[in-house]
Amino acid sequence: MSLTTPLKNPPQSTGRGKRSTAPTGLSLARRLGPGVFTLAVGLLLAVLLIQAQGFQPLPTILAGLDYAVGDAKSIARTLAWGLPLFVATMGVALAYRSGMFNIGAEGQIYAGAMAAALTGAYIGPMFTGLHLFLCLAVSALTGAAVAAGLGWLRAVWNVDEVLSTLLSNYIIMLFCAYLATAPLRDPARQSGTTKAVHETAMFAELVPQTQLTSALFVVIILCAATWWLSERSVTGYRWRMTGESPAFAAAVGINVRRSRIGSMATSGALCGIAGALLVTASQGRFWTEIGTGIGWDAVLLAMIARARPLSAVVWVLVYSVMRSAARGIEQVSTVPSELSLILISGIIIAATARAGLFSRLAGLNKLLIRSEGK
């Protein structure tokens, strides 16, 4: 199964087609309109949910936003939570662009986290930069191997990647849980965790007491590299062509199998690095609940962003603020922090409905123009 929605967009790198004659302001409004629409729906849902709990919506929402972005420490704390999500979402979006539906991000994150935990704990200690690079590299290779195998099944045997990636989540997560609770469990701790990694395998903290580390720079580089790979490189163009029309791509000489496997491997590598960041930038070890649904969040956010790298970055920022604000709201009211999950679900529905709504409006506009021209 392929995600067809983002692939219906025309190629952006060809530079062909008619130039838009609309004013710049109108063009900007058209671009921002869908995002504003979905955010407005999310805000309306938040107001209704908070009102249903018996609290005043506006003061409660403002208190949550103050907790999320009220000062420098709040912003740093919000960014720290979102760092792995940025990388994982970019990875999932990259697979979508090539027509591959990688919903195995959660399992690939767990595999990457386990690889980083073992590399950080059992190899070294050594020079900090080298040890960190080794942890990230091993995690990337682990995630890439998992995703490439699933991509190979799709490309060669036509195995539905939705089923294979979905099932791979359970296999990997349960296997990692077994390792953390049995053969690799830290005997000094009661819970299912591996040994703590060496200090040389941890990123340095940038803002004290916020968990924002120098991993921020790694995430910025990875996001920029993913955007360039997807939107500006020849390889990315081939992957997009494969996603939009595999038959046409094959007719013009693009190796469809290689494109599918390559895009999945790169997607898995990014998800593996996201798992490594959970260990090397915050937790310091692997434990059975380390992922906390980040992979699923990445899948949903990549869908909302329609697999566009820049849009994915914006939506991860918005979602990180929402999650942090939800925790702030929980502290000043009885509204649970799971509110953010309800909101993101509502936003997804709104984004899906918006696509149909806007296409209908565009169709009505065309009919109106034609009727006026007669």
Side-chain angles (χ1 to χ4, degrees):
M1 176 179 177
S2 301
L3 184 67
T4 57
T5 302
L7 306 175
K8 291 179 179 177
N9 297 315
Q12 301 297 315
S13 57
T14 58
R16 299 174 182 173
K18 296 181 180 179
R19 291 179 178 274
S20 174
T21 58
T24 305
L26 183 58
S27 177
L28 181 62
R30 285 177 177 172
R31 291 187 177 186
L32 296 179
V36 172
F37 174 80
T38 52
L39 284 178
V41 171
L43 183 62
L44 179 61
L45 282 174
V47 169
L48 293 176
L49 290 171
I50 293 172
Q51 186 71 49
Q53 296 289 324
F55 293 91
Q56 294 183 346
L58 184 58
T60 306
I61 291 175
L62 290 178
L65 289 176
D66 183 64
Y67 179 86
V69 293
D71 53 35
K73 277 196 170 181
S74 301
I75 295 173
R77 186 173 55 237
T78 301
L79 278 177
W81 182 86
L83 289 184
L85 187 58
F86 278 103
V87 183
T89 304
M90 296 298 278
V92 176
L94 193 64
Y96 285 176
R97 294 285 276 169
S98 67
M100 299 295 285
F101 200 39
N102 181 18
I103 58 175
E106 186 80 359
Q108 292 151 27
I109 288 173
Y110 268 77
M114 176 58 79
L118 298 182
T119 306
Y122 292 97
I123 298 179
M126 58 182 75
F127 178 65
T128 302
L130 179 60
H131 204 178
L132 268 174
F133 174 78
L134 193 60
C135 290
L136 296 180
V138 172
S139 298
L141 289 174
T142 304
V146 172
L150 299 170
W152 181 83
L153 290 175
R154 172 70 172 85
V156 178
W157 296 98
N158 203 28
V159 176
D160 192 328
E161 77 269 21
V162 174
L163 291 177
S164 61
T165 54
L166 178 63
L167 292 176
S168 71
N169 286 328
Y170 299 103
I171 296 173
I172 295 172
M173 292 168 64
L174 291 174
F175 182 66
C176 289
Y178 161 73
L179 293 178
T181 54
L184 300 177
R185 185 175 71 85
D186 184 358
R189 298 173 69 94
Q190 294 295 327
S191 58
T193 66
T194 60
K195 291 174 58 176
V197 302
H198 295 290
E199 287 295 325
T200 53
M202 295 292 294
F203 283 97
E205 196 173 43
L206 290 180
V207 181
Q209 300 178 346
T210 63
Q211 292 189 340
L212 182 63
T213 65
S214 53
L216 172 66
F217 304 115
V218 175
V219 172
I220 292 174
I221 292 172
L222 288 175
C223 289
T226 304
W227 170 83
W228 179 85
L229 175 63
S230 173
E231 306 300 320
R232 291 292 182 269
S233 71
V234 175
T235 301
Y237 178 75
R238 289 173 177 167
W239 290 356
R240 296 202 309 275
M241 287 298 99
T242 301
E244 292 177 11
S245 177
F248 175 77
V252 298
I254 296 175
N255 190 320
V256 174
R257 287 184 178 181
R258 184 182 300 171
S259 294
R260 285 173 170 169
I261 296 173
S263 64
M264 281 292 285
T266 309
S267 174
L270 289 170
C271 292
I273 292 175
L277 294 180
L278 291 172
V279 174
T280 57
S282 61
Q283 303 296 323
R285 65 176 75 224
F286 179 92
W287 60 292
T288 53
E289 304 293 333
I290 193 170
T292 62
I294 287 178
W296 300 113
D297 293 339
V299 171
L300 297 178
L301 290 170
M303 292 177 66
I304 295 176
R306 301 173 69 81
R308 302 283 180 177
L310 290 180
S311 297
V313 169
V314 173
W315 277 108
V316 173
L317 272 175
V318 171
Y319 184 61
S320 298
V321 171
M322 286 172 55
R323 290 297 297 260
S324 184
R327 288 194 292 272
I329 290 174
E330 190 177 38
Q331 292 184 4
V332 299
S333 67
T334 57
V335 179
S337 61
E338 285 75 13
L339 166 71
S340 61
L341 299 178
I342 299 174
L343 291 181
I344 198 67
S345 302
I347 286 176
I348 290 171
I349 296 172
T352 306
R354 177 259 301 168
L357 176 63
F358 275 64
S359 63
R360 287 176 182 271
L361 290 176
L364 291 174
N365 186 42
K366 288 181 180 178
L367 289 175
L368 181 62
I369 292 174
R370 289 176 182 174
S371 63
E372 290 177 347
K374 289 180 179 178

